[in-house]
Amino acid sequence: MTKRKLPEKKDHIIEIIDLHKSFEDNYVLRGVNLKIRRGEIMTLIGGSGTGKTVILRSIIGLIRPDQGKVIFNGGDITHYTEEQFIEVRKEIGMLFQGGALFDSLNVLDNVCYPLREHTPLSEDEIRKRGITILEEVGLNGKEGLFPADLSGGMKRRVGIARSIILEPEMILFDEPTTGLDPYNTRNISELIVELNKTRGITSLIVTHDMETALKITDRLAMLYEGRIAMIGTREEIMSSQDTLVKSFISGEALAH
Ligand SMILES: Nc1ncnc2c1ncn2[C@@H]1O[C@H](COP(=O)(O)OP(=O)(O)OP(=O)(O)O)[C@@H](O)[C@H]1O
Ligand SMILES: [Mg+2]
């Protein structure tokens, strides 16, 4: 029997192929290969300064790799122009490390910012959508507060609301729970899972937090010495006898 031809639509939303990046003599990415399946929650872990943020920024064109490819929905976006990447960033939202909220804007205006920048919607419609998204992330009634008035967990929620307001297919979460207490860590993790379930958003999470990673993700990838050293399901990672994987689980390989 001949093999049936698969439909055009790729089951991988993102394919990173042999990605290299140096900053002067700092050779950070040394051939990263990573495929992210549509609809999954994937976690990328690795020690501080190993290039996790560089990988996320490379996906949406904020850093240009020296070599290799980034494929999005089957198309090569590696050499897209800045204008083309603006379109990509509507489909791939990012929660930046530390939140990156605008201190001078209130919660609602922070969340509505991408709508004002990228859509021709009326002011009424923009506010309506902003309020709806704030409800979805559990921040109803907080529209008028400023970032300085918010707890760490609330700031993270505002950042997440802003990253989903353009209804992206995928979100890159850079350290979404770092610096939060256990209660807020759990809340933010649950929110990420909920967005994945209700909206079908594919998520790539960068974290140092092995406990959260093992709790909420479908698969984990481990960045070590500029490459993905291991990728697998939670179960595969947990039962691995590989010494490097074991040192990741124990936290040794993640130490600063
Ligand atoms: N724009 C840049 N210019 C120069 N060096 C950079 C730039 N961005 C990242 N680097 C360097 O690349 C390396 C990897 O940085 P990156 O921010 O990706 O680390 P990380 O794995 O995200 O670490 P952390 O867990 O601390 O956030 C670091 O040595 C960093 O100094
Ligand atoms: Mg980082």
Side-chain angles (χ1 to χ4, degrees):
M1 208 174 88
T2 53
K3 230 178 168 184
R4 193 169 58 91
K5 199 166 180 297
L6 291 170
E8 245 345 273
K9 189 102 171 164
K10 289 261 188 173
D11 66 336
H12 289 120
I13 188 165
I14 288 283
E15 294 166 77
I16 296 172
I17 302 165
D18 194 31
L19 211 67
H20 291 251
K21 180 70 188 175
S22 298
F23 298 99
E24 295 177 354
D25 59 354
N26 184 6
Y27 191 11
V28 181
L29 305 183
R30 305 174 177 210
V32 169
N33 288 291
L34 184 62
K35 292 182 181 179
I36 297 158
R37 295 175 186 150
R38 191 179 307 285
E40 79 173 331
I41 301 182
M42 156 86 80
T43 299
L44 175 63
I45 58 173
S48 194
T50 51
K52 304 181 299 298
T53 298
V54 171
I55 292 178
L56 296 189
R57 295 177 79 94
S58 300
I59 293 174
I60 53 172
L62 297 175
I63 285 179
R64 299 302 181 122
D66 301 328
Q67 194 184 312
K69 283 184 190 167
V70 178
I71 311 288
F72 172 49
N73 278 341
D76 187 347
I77 62 170
T78 322
H79 302 293
Y80 265 23
T81 61
E82 178 56 23
E83 263 177 14
Q84 288 174 306
F85 267 118
I86 288 173
E87 295 306 308
V88 170
R89 286 177 213 137
K90 292 179 190 170
E91 300 298 336
I92 307 177
M94 179 152 173
L95 179 71
F96 287 93
Q97 196 164 357
L101 300 180
F102 300 112
D103 290 335
S104 60
L105 299 183
N106 70 21
V107 165
L108 185 60
D109 289 337
N110 259 288
V111 169
C112 292
Y113 186 83
L115 290 178
R116 296 206 169 99
E117 285 288 293
H118 298 297
T119 71
L121 295 172
S122 70
E123 189 52 27
D124 266 5
E125 183 60 26
I126 286 176
R127 295 179 71 83
K128 213 165 83 192
R129 290 195 188 189
I131 288 167
T132 307
I133 294 278
L134 283 169
E135 272 170 20
E136 189 173 339
V137 301
L139 285 177
N140 21 337
K142 309 287 189 225
E143 295 81 4
L145 297 181
F146 284 82
D149 307 323
L150 304 175
S151 70
M154 283 155 87
K155 279 187 199 159
R156 242 33 91 82
R157 282 171 189 273
V158 176
I160 292 174
R162 192 174 61 187
S163 70
I164 59 174
I165 195 137
L166 292 175
E167 305 190 337
E169 285 184 63
M170 179 173 186
I171 305 185
L172 312 175
F173 292 95
D174 199 353
E175 311 261 7
T177 59
T178 301
L180 299 181
D181 59 37
Y183 172 79
N184 277 300
T185 296
R186 202 172 57 240
N187 274 338
I188 294 295
S189 311
E190 284 168 5
L191 180 57
I192 293 172
V193 173
E194 201 180 300
L195 292 173
N196 174 261
K197 290 223 172 79
T198 57
R199 290 171 167 255
I201 296 180
T202 307
S203 299
L204 175 58
I205 307 170
V206 157
T207 186
H208 283 122
D209 177 1
M210 196 66 198
E211 202 183 314
T212 302
L214 287 170
K215 207 158 54 189
I216 69 171
T217 60
D218 299 311
R219 292 195 301 153
L220 285 95
M222 300 177 172
L223 181 65
Y224 187 72
E225 295 183 341
R227 296 190 186 87
I228 302 298
M230 168 78 187
I231 185 162
T233 61
R234 273 185 293 198
E235 293 69 26
E236 284 164 352
I237 298 284
M238 290 301 280
S239 62
S240 172
Q241 292 307 308
D242 185 280
T243 43
L244 182 60
V245 175
K246 283 181 158 181
S247 76
F248 266 99
I249 293 172
S250 71
E252 265 171 63
L254 303 173
H256 288 225

